[in-house]
Amino acid sequence: MTHIYNFSAGPAVLPKEVLAQAAAEMLDWHGSGMSVMEMSHRGPEFISIYQAAVRDLRELLAVPDNYKILFLQGGGLGENAIVPLNLVGRKAQPATVDFVHTGSWSGKSIKEAAKYATVNVAASSQAEGFCGVPPQSAWKLTPDAAYLHICTNETIDGVEYPFAPELAGDTPIVADMSSHILSRVIDVSQYGVIFGGAQKNIGPAGLTLVIVREDLLGAALPICPSAFDWSVVAEHESMYNTPPTYGIYIAGLVFQWLKRQGGVAAMEKRNIDKAALLYAALDADDFYQNRVAKAYRSRMTIPFFLRDESKNEAFLAGAKQRGLLQLKGHKSVGGMRASIYNAMPIEGVQALVDYLNEFAGR
Ligand SMILES: *Cc1c(COP(=O)(O)O)cnc(C)c1O
């Protein structure tokens, strides 16, 4: 088999070391005689796996003590409902929720939240084709909003926030970080809630991560399912119902791998280098095109187009021959997309760049 590099948007590439360790431990975890998949989530073996995962994630992101780390199910899209179900009850009904619309994923969040709250789109980059983030000075925020929702990396559009918003009032910021969490240093204390599906930059599909400030707990609407009520989940250490145990185990191995790489700051340095290498090849001449304004270009999820779209099929076929997989763009935007998450080594980006240059005849 030729060496493969997987540029899938998600489920996505995982560190080879992590997969090898999981394979070695598959039938007998640490002499327990059991696979992690077969363990009770309440037994001492799994509890130790869970506790290490929480501890390592807290360390990696420097999560302050007044924040809970929750492992749920339901994915990023599930959180689009779970967030308003947990937060709009903080205000008199009907409550207003603010959004910044920067692409496909924040658009989906807006639609879902409208089932539970009055939605105010405080700013949108839709008219400009989602090529950036509207400057914070132009956001028309609601003074008494239950929260402000942003998507800090628009996976499909390839737009990433280069800044963390700072609000004057006490409106909590909810950030969908599904596709770039752990790729760059963040200050958790600037957010009320951070959430993300695991399948982009953490681990397998089926696990959803929520980091929530404690004072935001306890306001769930009466119709909120108990299994999605963050205060109930927090009270039960993410074991109110059976959590996605194997997903938590793999995520925990990824957290340990990240620590061995030097942590999030070290990953961020590598991610800057990887993205710079790829964008330089895309920008070298007119053969390829990335339409996002430079200041907002994602380091993780990079859509691009061939100017001559009649060459798309040939491009993808040649990429596949060279072991460069899953480069086809999202169906809603077409073209190509390279997702270069933490687990994508710079060698993979270099292999893609070599192919980009070769295909362009450079
Ligand atoms: C993938 C993605 C989602 C949706 O995640 P699911 O797990 O499929 O529900 C939501 N938000 C962002 C930013 C994503 O990249």
Side-chain angles (χ1 to χ4, degrees), residues 75-77 105 151 153 155 176 178-179 199-200:
L77 287 178
W105 288 115
C151 177
N153 189 66
T155 319
D176 176 356
S178 294
S179 53
Q199 73 272 24
K200 310 279 166 65

Side-chain angles (χ1 to χ4, degrees), residues 81 102 209 240:
T102 48
L209 174 69
Y240 172 73

Side-chain angles (χ1 to χ4, degrees), residues 6-323:
N6 174 10
F7 295 93
S8 171
V13 59
L14 283 164
K16 286 273 174 293
E17 282 174 47
V18 164
L19 296 176
Q21 187 178 348
E25 296 177 346
M26 173 61 78
L27 298 182
D28 178 7
W29 182 83
H30 294 203
S32 66
M34 290 180 283
S35 169
V36 173
M37 266 182 271
E38 304 172 298
M39 290 174 183
S40 165
H41 56 299
R42 305 198 190 281
E45 296 90 351
F46 184 75
I47 294 288
S48 74
I49 290 170
Y50 158 81
Q51 286 173 340
V54 171
R55 196 170 55 237
D56 288 338
L57 181 61
R58 197 175 280 283
E59 183 184 325
L60 283 165
L61 287 177
V63 179
D65 288 345
N66 63 325
Y67 283 74
K68 296 285 191 201
I69 292 174
L70 310 179
F71 295 132
L72 288 95
Q73 305 184 49
L77 287 178
E79 286 306 313
N80 283 346
I82 294 167
V83 168
L85 282 165
N86 276 275
L87 294 184
V88 302
R90 299 174 63 246
K91 300 287 175 183
Q93 302 303 302
T96 299
V97 177
D98 284 343
F99 279 87
V100 180
H101 188 194
T102 48
S104 303
W105 288 115
S106 52
K108 287 200 164 115
S109 304
I110 288 168
K111 251 189 157 165
E112 189 74 8
K115 294 180 182 175
Y116 307 99
T118 305
V119 163
N120 170 49
V121 179
S124 172
S125 58
Q126 187 162 29
E128 294 83 49
F130 297 129
C131 286
V133 178
Q136 208 198 314
S137 55
W139 298 2
K140 296 196 170 53
L141 300 170
T142 310
D144 203 29
Y147 61 92
L148 164 70
H149 177 119
I150 59 174
C151 177
T152 47
N153 189 66
E154 288 279 5
T155 319
I156 293 172
D157 307 274
V159 171
E160 183 168 11
Y161 276 63
F163 63 93
E166 287 189 44
L167 304 188
D170 63 354
T171 304
I173 300 173
V174 175
D176 176 356
M177 296 194 182
S178 294
S179 53
H180 76 158
I181 191 161
L182 292 163
S183 71
R184 61 192 297 152
V185 175
I186 55 166
D187 177 355
V188 173
S189 73
Q190 289 176 295
Y191 303 90
V193 179
I194 292 168
F195 73 83
Q199 73 272 24
K200 310 279 166 65
N201 209 20
I202 297 179
L207 168 66
T208 314
L209 174 69
V210 173
I211 302 172
V212 54
R213 209 174 64 216
E214 282 169 359
D215 64 284
L216 300 175
L217 297 172
L221 294 175
I223 58 163
C224 179
S226 304
F228 294 142
D229 179 334
W230 293 332
S231 55
V232 174
V233 177
E235 206 179 304
H236 292 84
E237 295 274 335
S238 296
M239 304 210 192
Y240 172 73
N241 67 332
T242 313
T245 51
Y246 200 76
I248 293 170
Y249 160 68
I250 299 288
L253 295 185
V254 170
F255 299 154
Q256 288 167 17
W257 176 81
L258 285 169
K259 285 173 65 176
R260 291 198 300 275
Q261 305 305 303
V264 175
M267 286 321 294
E268 177 168 12
K269 281 214 188 80
R270 291 192 207 175
N271 289 327
I272 289 170
D273 291 345
K274 281 154 54 184
L277 183 62
L278 181 48
Y279 282 114
L282 295 174
D283 290 342
D285 54 34
D286 281 349
F287 198 90
Y288 305 103
Q289 181 188 35
N290 170 280
R291 296 173 183 163
V292 179
K294 284 197 172 139
Y296 305 103
R297 284 174 158 185
S298 174
R299 295 173 186 162
M300 291 277 102
T301 50
I302 300 169
F304 63 94
F305 298 88
L306 277 61
R307 293 265 177 185
D308 177 359
E309 297 232 282
S310 70
K311 295 196 166 92
N312 282 358
E313 292 300 318
F315 177 86
L316 288 167
K320 194 169 174 193
Q321 266 179 8
R322 286 158 184 78

